[in-house]
Amino acid sequence: MEKQRVLVVDDDREIVNAIAINLLNEGYAVLKAYDGLQALDMISTQSVHLIILDVMMPKLDGLSTMLKIRTEKNIPIIILSAKSEDTDKVLGLSMGADDYVTKPFNRLELMARVKSQLRRYLSLGDVNVQARPNLLQSGGLCFDLENHTLMLDGDLVKLTAKETKIMELLMRSPGRIFPAEEIYERVWGETAYGVENTVMVHIRRIREKIEINPKEPKYLKVVWGIGYKIEKI
């Protein structure tokens, strides 16, 4: 079986080598490039399953490189950048990135994000699962309305009955903020009085199951003083 091949692109050779060592230890094949033009040449001649791409590079920067890649290929791209402002993240994601990691990065978190994107890419490919009416999707999250199951990047997430009902409720209306009282009344079927802690505990447990870093959730967000929502991705 062909190894999954990851292309690491950064003008800092020490960073490239450090990431490459971690990828090799995880069993991936690694390609290295030090600017955007080198990266495009490699992609045109070799099979690549995922790209870790720095933003600030000579000759051709990361965002411009990503735009050129996106005209032909749907390879997962994880942007690597020293910029941590939300506007920079939004820009990178809106231009076609699948994920965004800021420097300095945690090695284990980066490897978890690599695994997550590869699972999603290899299990779903270019299939638009939202076209299937019995599925609700936000990024790598996919809720099957028929079987009442939740998948994350192709892997089954084990939820309790209450957690399942909460996820179905939130994923039916991605982006909408649900107050804790409404979640409780619709999931538990009882009048809500002082239920914030009960709902919060269930939300925390769900986050631990679906988020790479529960303290910085990608999917299940809290809007302080208002409620909870599933992010539109």
Side-chain angles (χ1 to χ4, degrees), residues 78 99 106-119 153 212:
I78 298 176
D99 208 343
N106 179 284
R107 176 184 64 82
L108 295 177
E109 182 176 346
L110 179 59
M111 291 302 104
R113 292 181 184 274
V114 167
K115 291 177 184 178
S116 173
Q117 290 299 328
L118 282 169
R119 282 199 306 267
D153 300 321
I212 292 175

Side-chain angles (χ1 to χ4, degrees), residues 35-160:
D35 61 62
L37 294 179
Q38 284 185 359
L40 293 176
D41 286 341
M42 287 189 176
I43 293 167
S44 66
T45 58
Q46 302 194 55
S47 173
V48 176
H49 300 102
L50 181 139
I51 304 168
I52 299 174
L53 183 65
D54 184 40
V55 172
M56 302 299 292
M57 294 186 298
K59 297 184 181 179
L60 190 65
D61 66 83
L63 296 182
S64 299
T65 302
M66 181 170 61
L67 286 176
K68 290 182 178 294
I69 294 170
R70 282 289 175 256
T71 61
E72 297 182 358
K73 298 181 182 293
N74 194 34
I75 304 168
I77 298 175
I78 298 176
I79 288 290
L80 198 62
S81 175
K83 297 182 178 180
S84 59
E85 294 296 327
D86 287 341
T87 52
D88 295 313
K89 293 181 181 179
V90 170
L91 178 62
L93 293 170
S94 66
M95 291 176 68
D98 296 277
D99 208 343
Y100 193 109
V101 176
T102 56
K103 299 177 182 177
F105 54 87
N106 179 284
R107 176 184 64 82
L108 295 177
E109 182 176 346
L110 179 59
M111 291 302 104
R113 292 181 184 274
V114 167
K115 291 177 184 178
S116 173
Q117 290 299 328
L118 282 169
R119 282 199 306 267
R120 180 182 173 196
Y121 177 64
L122 296 174
S123 64
L124 298 178
D126 295 330
V127 177
N128 182 6
V129 297
Q130 282 188 306
R132 294 168 57 185
N134 64 321
L135 296 180
L136 306 173
Q137 187 192 15
S138 176
L141 280 179
C142 186
F143 191 92
D144 189 321
L145 293 169
E146 183 176 346
N147 298 314
H148 299 284
T149 54
L150 180 70
M151 305 291 286
L152 175 62
D153 300 321
D155 291 339
L156 179 66
V157 181
K158 294 182 179 179
L159 301 175
T160 66

Side-chain angles (χ1 to χ4, degrees), residues 16 32 34 57 97 102 118 132 138 150 154 156 165 180 199 213 219 233:
V16 171
K32 302 177 183 179
Y34 305 103
M57 294 186 298
T102 56
L118 282 169
R132 294 168 57 185
S138 176
L150 180 70
L156 179 66
K165 290 181 179 180
V199 173
N213 183 356
Y219 297 108
I233 300 176

Side-chain angles (χ1 to χ4, degrees), residues 193-210:
Y193 293 108
V195 299
E196 289 82 0
N197 285 342
T198 299
V199 173
M200 181 180 64
V201 168
H202 282 76
I203 294 292
R204 185 177 70 242
R205 289 173 180 167
I206 295 171
R207 273 182 171 172
E208 290 171 353
K209 296 177 181 180
I210 68 172

Side-chain angles (χ1 to χ4, degrees), residues 166-205:
I166 291 172
M167 286 303 295
E168 179 176 348
L169 173 65
L170 298 181
M171 289 193 69
R172 282 184 180 273
S173 302
R176 181 192 162 189
I177 303 169
F178 287 83
E181 292 80 7
E182 182 179 354
I183 293 174
Y184 187 87
E185 290 182 352
R186 295 181 64 172
V187 171
W188 276 261
E190 302 172 0
T191 304
Y193 293 108
V195 299
E196 289 82 0
N197 285 342
T198 299
V199 173
M200 181 180 64
V201 168
H202 282 76
I203 294 292
R204 185 177 70 242
R205 289 173 180 167

